[in-house]
Amino acid sequence: MSIQQQVSLRPFNTFGLHVEAENFAAFTNVEELQSLLRHAKEKKWPLFILGGGSNVLLTQDVPGLTLHNQIKGITAIKEDDRYVWVKAGAGEVWHDLVLWTLDRNWGGLENLSLIPGYVGAAPMQNIGAYGVEIKDTFDHLEAVEMATGAVRSFSLEACQFGYRESVFKHELKGQYIITHVVFRLEKEPTTFHTSYGAIQSTLADMALTELSIQAISKAVIRIRQSKLPDPKVLGNAGSFFKNPVIADSRFRSLQKNYPDMPHYPLPDEEVKIPAAWLIEQSGWKGKRVGATGTHVKQPLVLVNYGGATGAEVWQLAQQIQAAVKDAFGIQLEPEVNVW
Ligand code: FAD
Ligand code: NAP
């Protein structure tokens, strides 16, 4: 068990922000994790768990013990005529898992290509893109309870997945460390999700002879690379806010003043409004404040132009929230986990 002191977390978060972890340890299996949890309990250290750091905004030094998940391994654990169940260690890079499934022509994760981060954080917010969420192929996960070190399995129902939500962001927040995730994938893919956003037109540009999960993945990668800043070049954590969901009646009244307001109807008489549009209309697209700002192509992405602090990014986020609230009466909620 190796624990380092006063470690800069700059290489461990995609905003590229410098804060220090008082103590820092990586773990590669469940036993190592349990032993670190026992040690932290003895020392009365609070715990912080970090995967790829692509969905966190670090605004202050982290006291206690920061745990970095490095549990690796991807294996097919069972199959039937139609499906194969794939188990992945929580410390695997998410996109590596997607590529592994594409190599075997196992379908279900292709629309989620190139999402940064590790497998273990994917259930935290039920990652989603281009009309697919992990809940669509999720079977179960294994997690270690922080207080006791006990291993527990969570079914699809137990995870209570919602739009960028799960039980781990609410009732069980800060209580479990996810160690493995199991997905149920199609062995001979016949389900293709192509109706969303720019996928259809990008596939058309690719002049395919046959639709495949590999082609969908390539289309998604092409769109993402053209629209989103690469965190290695420009620090960011993807969409900073969730797309707000409002009552249909409220939307209709807003629509009277904003007839062009983009919107997507949801069940239960609710409507999703793209947060990017609200931010742009509020005058914040591409705006820079000191070393932070919103991205020129995608205002939902807040960026660190170099040298920003987490507190400055958080201040910018709050200014944007206030501007949107002022203009539309809508409260934007952060998607990124603010520490
Ligand atoms: P981290 O940032 O390390 O952690 C996120 C949260 O989960 C933290 O609260 C952390 O404490 C907790 N956590 C991490 N690992 C574990 C674990 N093993 N057990 C328990 N808790 C844990 N997200 C989408 O949904 N869709 C997208 O299309 C998308 N695109 C993105 C594009 C860019 C350019 C970027 C930078 C981010 C994007 N994201 C997207 C957000 C992010 O990539 C995902 O949320 C990803 O799953 C975060 O993984 P991570 O390992 O980096 O998590
Ligand atoms: P986009 O395609 O320009 O669409 C803008 C917004 O409208 C999206 O956020 C999306 O909501 C919504 N939308 C578009 N078409 C829709 C449809 N047919 N049905 C329902 N909602 C629809 O979005 P983008 O910014 O380029 O992102 C593309 C995809 O990648 C989106 O799914 C987005 O969530 C995901 N993404 C996520 C992050 C992140 O950090 N979370 C970062 C980059 C991209 P949804 O967000 O609900 O899909």
Side-chain angles (χ1 to χ4, degrees), residues 135-158:
K135 74 169 172 49
D136 304 329
T137 48
F138 178 91
D139 188 77
H140 72 275
L141 63 78
E142 289 159 21
V144 169
E145 192 176 21
M146 290 179 180
T148 63
V151 176
R152 182 176 156 191
S153 176
F154 287 81
S155 65
L156 178 67
E157 292 70 31

Side-chain angles (χ1 to χ4, degrees), residues 49 51-55 69 116-118 121 124-125 127-128 178 224 237-238 337:
I49 167 86
S54 65
N55 207 15
N69 198 327
Y118 290 2
M124 290 298 293
Q125 67 160 12
I127 56 167
I178 296 164
R224 293 186 77 100
N337 300 280

Side-chain angles (χ1 to χ4, degrees), residues 5-26:
Q5 276 74 45
Q6 302 307 133
V7 173
S8 170
L9 294 183
R10 196 196 297 280
F12 299 100
N13 74 97
T14 59
F15 260 121
L17 298 166
H18 167 76
V19 299
E20 272 185 358
E22 189 183 7
N23 300 281
F24 179 92

Side-chain angles (χ1 to χ4, degrees), residues 242-254:
K242 288 191 275 193
N243 291 316
V245 172
I246 59 174
D248 190 50
S249 53
R250 181 116 177 272
F251 165 68
R252 285 189 195 291
S253 109
L254 280 169

Side-chain angles (χ1 to χ4, degrees), residues 2 17 38 45 83 132 136 151 157 162 233 256 275 298 311 315:
S2 155
L17 298 166
R38 279 193 298 275
W45 284 339
Y83 297 107
V132 171
D136 304 329
V151 176
E157 292 70 31
V233 180
K256 286 182 193 139
Q298 172 48 291
Q315 214 171 11

